[in-house]
Amino acid sequence: MKHLIVLPGNSATNKAWGERMVSHYADYFDSLYVQEYDHWTSEGTSMDMVTEEQKLRAHVASLAPGTEVFVLAKSAGSILCLGAVAAGFLNPVYCAFFGMPFEWAATDVFGGNWSVVDSFSVPAIAFHNTHDPTAPFLHTKQVIDERMPKVSLIATTGNDHAYDDYDVYDQYLLTIFKR
């Protein structure tokens, strides 16, 4: 059984991104899950990583043994994914990241401890817009080049943090999803 987990970005506008990802890739999976963050409905400004990790842990625990998990994670969702993998409860066969915000995570999540990045060993691809105003491309490139040898960085053209260029993503992801 193949299962897709979609971890959107921080702001409530990312709920639609998650729904579009699920809709676009639904035919390649037996089951689907999009995590909705508590602060989206409580009008908080930022996700509580501990709370969202607990919700993700509960979801993963509900999956049948032997389920192959694939993760699509955008922005803060990618940081949530890294933490879940490091914690040992999420063991995806493949991850795709979109706009990884390492500058934000360095202070707001990691607190100087990069072990979740350094220990990440899941085969993955990271799509990153070269002019992303939220997560600077060069910083993300440096972190991936120096700390994440299993992650392939794909520089995408764009000057936003939307990550909705499915034609580009499909070139890389459909082969993986079809296996």
Side-chain angles (χ1 to χ4, degrees):
M1 182 159 140
K2 291 185 352 186
H3 180 69
L4 177 63
I5 293 176
V6 176
L7 302 173
N10 186 49
S11 75
T13 60
N14 285 289
K15 180 179 180 182
W17 179 89
E19 292 167 352
R20 286 190 308 271
M21 282 291 179
V22 163
S23 176
H24 187 78
Y25 293 114
D27 291 344
Y28 301 96
F29 295 93
D30 301 304
S31 58
L32 310 156
Y33 171 77
V34 179
Q35 185 143 332
E36 294 190 17
Y37 304 131
D38 286 357
H39 75 283
W40 288 351
T41 56
S42 68
E43 297 183 21
T45 58
S46 188
M47 82 166 64
D48 179 333
M49 285 289 180
V50 173
T51 297
E52 297 308 332
E53 188 174 288
Q54 290 171 346
K55 285 173 34 184
L56 182 57
R57 181 185 298 265
H59 172 72
V60 170
S62 74
L63 298 174
T67 299
E68 286 187 307
V69 174
F70 295 76
V71 176
L72 301 178
K74 179 181 179 229
S75 196
S78 63
I79 305 304
L80 175 62
C81 178
L82 294 177
V85 170
F89 69 84
L90 179 61
N91 299 299
V93 296
Y94 198 84
C95 294
F97 300 118
F98 304 83
M100 298 180 87
F102 287 119
E103 281 191 344
W104 166 78
T107 55
D108 290 9
V109 181
F110 301 154
N113 179 354
W114 287 81
S115 62
V116 299
V117 174
D118 294 334
S119 66
F120 187 79
S121 62
V122 175
I125 193 167
F127 299 99
H128 206 98
N129 286 340
T130 54
H131 294 95
D132 184 327
T134 303
F137 174 79
L138 290 178
H139 189 257
T140 298
K141 180 180 179 354
Q142 179 183 5
V143 170
I144 289 173
D145 288 349
E146 294 176 2
R147 297 177 175 265
M148 304 180 84
K150 294 244 181 177
V151 178
S152 298
L153 177 63
I154 304 299
T156 49
T157 55
N159 57 2
D160 58 25
H161 195 64
Y163 294 96
D164 54 7
D165 193 349
Y166 299 103
D167 291 337
V168 171
Y169 313 144
D170 288 353
Q171 295 174 43
Y172 298 92
L173 297 178
L174 293 185
T175 302
I176 295 159
F177 293 165
K178 288 178 182 178
R179 61 175 195 144

